[in-house]
Amino acid sequence: MNPVIELPPARPAERLVEIVVPVYNEEHVLEASVRRLHGYLSGTFPYGFRITVADNASTDGTWPVAQRLAATLPKVHAVHLDAKGRGRALRKVWGESDADVVAYMDVDLSTRLEGFLPLVAPLLSGHSDLAIGSRLARSAAVVRGPKREFISRSYNLLLRTTLAARFSDAQCGFKAGRTEIVQALLPAVEDNAWFFDTELLLLAERTGLRIHEVPVDWVDDPDSRVNVAQTALDDLRGMARVARKILRGEFGRGGVPRRRIAAAALPTGMGRQIPSFAIIGVVSTAAQLVLYTLLRLVMPPLAANAVSLVVTTIGNTAANRRFTFGVTGPAGAVRHQLQGGVTFLVGLALSTGGLALLHLLAPGSAQIVELATLVTANALATLVRFLLLRNWVFTSRKETA
């Protein structure tokens, strides 16, 4: 009788995943986080891995700590950059990587590491091109304060309503991509800071690439170095820049790879109208935020909101009349403005109600939270506004290509 030979369990073919940890002045947490990540991957991850600490011109002892970790832990590397910017760090390391898949994590490891294999597995199999962790998926488990929760949801809602984004969470610091795909996208991504992630994802969607989302367990880091107000303003500027490029037909052109997928046909004319409406909406939102901020110096919040919304609604209706729906000349202009006033009432109800609710639930909220409330209200009103303009106000022009 032949003896039974027990074979060792089959291991996946050796593939390499490079995980970048961008850091700026993180001396206090860097060593513990990298050792924790290294220990987890060494013990459970079935593929080859490399951890690269990318120091963004830190002014504390972060770089010496990174060098020490690279010298003492196998599969840990360190890269130093002379300028700040998370996007700059990812561009540098991802652009030079020889791994099959590149990824990044925030140094605080707010996302539970059990989500990492589900994040990269569809990329290693070739099923998907990019992968993101989502804190906004229904099955995600998230612990964070109401202010950051509100701002995050507002930002992602604004992306979906103005730039037609289909991914749910642009800002979670837990992302990965197939290296050849990422390296093809990088030259078309302009931002080098916090908007880098969003621009990369918008570009991927615009070119038909497949984005895999993983619900994550995430706990907020109370010691975060992120300047929320400055980041929000930078993100709005980035959105406006991308919207302008979409309107000019320049976003997603060039040597970016494309998946050959079937796409549902849009109603006649909508393919041209949506980009125009989006850029006008972004400009209107930015204009209202600026005007609101100035008026708040002399008015209470509800009055400042009403006045700023009236002014920008008139401009929004006129711009959409001319550029989105191709209506020129004085005929019907007054009627169009009166009908456009309905969108003002919708926006006023949503934003006034939002501000009133904010001050009821959180009296004395900071002005950045007020601004985020307005962004959310405008985002909710955007879809209604487009449908009303297309199907009621300018209905006779909606069939134009």
Side-chain angles (χ1 to χ4, degrees):
M1 182 176 181
N2 294 330
V4 176
I5 301 176
E6 293 188 3
L7 298 175
R11 292 181 59 83
E14 187 67 16
R15 309 290 296 279
L16 180 61
V17 178
E18 181 162 15
I19 306 102
V20 183
V21 182
V23 289
Y24 173 73
N25 287 354
E26 300 287 358
E27 175 186 9
H28 64 295
V29 72
L30 177 59
E31 181 159 6
S33 293
V34 171
R35 288 189 179 277
R36 177 183 161 201
L37 175 60
H38 184 272
Y40 178 83
L41 294 175
S42 298
T44 66
F45 194 61
Y47 300 96
F49 69 88
R50 177 194 303 142
I51 301 171
T52 300
V53 179
D55 175 37
N56 288 118
S58 293
T59 57
D60 64 357
T62 295
W63 177 235
V65 173
Q67 290 178 302
R68 184 170 67 250
L69 289 168
T72 57
L73 291 177
K75 303 180 182 179
V76 173
H77 297 250
V79 173
H80 178 76
L81 288 84
D82 294 327
K84 291 175 59 177
R86 180 178 67 182
R88 182 174 285 105
L90 297 178
R91 185 189 302 276
K92 165 74 174 175
V93 182
W94 284 0
E96 298 176 357
S97 180
D98 61 352
D100 298 284
V101 167
V102 289
Y104 94 88
M105 298 180 189
D106 289 336
V107 68
D108 54 30
L109 301 185
S110 294
T111 306
R112 289 191 62 180
L113 296 176
E114 288 79 3
F116 188 62
L117 182 57
L119 184 79
V120 300
L123 307 177
L124 290 165
S125 71
H127 174 270
S128 299
D129 302 301
L130 298 176
I132 65 173
S134 175
R135 300 161 296 183
L136 304 181
R138 288 188 177 182
S139 55
V142 176
V143 178
R144 63 176 165 182
K147 177 180 176 181
R148 296 194 68 175
E149 176 78 8
F150 185 79
I151 292 174
S152 176
R153 289 187 178 274
S154 300
Y155 177 64
N156 285 285
L157 180 60
L158 190 61
L159 285 173
R160 291 194 292 275
T161 54
T162 61
L163 295 180
R166 296 186 298 276
F167 47 86
S168 66
D169 191 351
Q171 296 172 310
C172 183
F174 199 69
K175 295 184 175 71
R178 292 168 52 204
T179 305
E180 69 270 24
I181 295 294
V182 169
Q183 290 178 348
L185 291 171
L186 285 178
V189 178
E190 295 183 24
D191 192 80
N192 281 318
W194 296 101
F195 190 69
F196 175 90
D197 301 43
T198 302
E199 188 171 358
L200 184 74
L201 293 173
L202 290 170
L203 183 64
E205 277 198 343
R206 193 75 179 176
T207 52
L209 300 177
R210 183 171 292 161
I211 300 174
H212 173 69
E213 295 200 15
V214 177
V216 296
D217 298 337
W218 193 85
V219 179
D220 189 18
D221 175 20
D223 190 38
S224 174
R225 300 293 201 271
V226 178
N227 184 327
V228 176
Q230 185 60 52
T231 300
L233 292 175
D234 290 343
D235 286 340
L236 288 174
R237 283 195 287 266
M239 290 176 60
R241 174 175 54 78
V242 168
R244 287 194 300 270
K245 294 187 69 174
I246 291 174
L247 188 59
R248 295 196 298 261
E250 299 174 357
F251 194 65
R253 295 195 319 190
V256 179
R258 291 178 178 267
R259 276 189 182 270
R260 296 185 178 275
I261 57 175
L266 289 172
T268 303
M270 192 177 288
R272 179 191 59 78
Q273 292 166 356
I274 288 177
S276 176
F277 181 80
I279 181 62
I280 292 170
V282 170
V283 172
S284 297
T285 299
Q288 195 217 346
L289 294 180
V290 171
L291 185 57
Y292 172 85
T293 301
L294 295 175
L295 292 174
R296 277 288 280 119
L297 299 175
V298 294
M299 293 182 178
L302 297 185
N305 173 59
V307 173
S308 63
L309 195 55
V310 167
V311 173
T312 53
T313 297
I314 293 173
N316 181 281
T317 301
N320 277 304
R321 181 179 189 268
R322 171 63 181 88
F323 298 107
T324 303
F325 300 99
V327 180
T328 57
V334 174
R335 177 175 60 85
H336 292 154
Q337 283 292 346
L338 292 175
Q339 290 175 313
V342 173
T343 69
F344 160 74
L345 295 177
V346 172
L348 181 62
L350 287 170
S351 53
T352 300
L355 283 173
L357 182 62
L358 173 68
H359 286 285
L360 177 65
L361 298 178
S365 296
Q367 193 168 354
I368 182 63
V369 181
E370 290 183 357
L371 294 177
T373 302
L374 290 178
V375 169
T376 303
N378 279 307
L380 291 173
T382 295
L383 178 60
V384 175
R385 183 179 297 122
F386 179 75
L387 294 175
L388 285 174
L389 291 177
R390 177 177 167 83
N391 296 294
W392 178 46
V393 181
F394 304 111
T395 182
S396 63
R397 295 290 181 139
K398 72 178 183 179
E399 298 303 327
T400 60

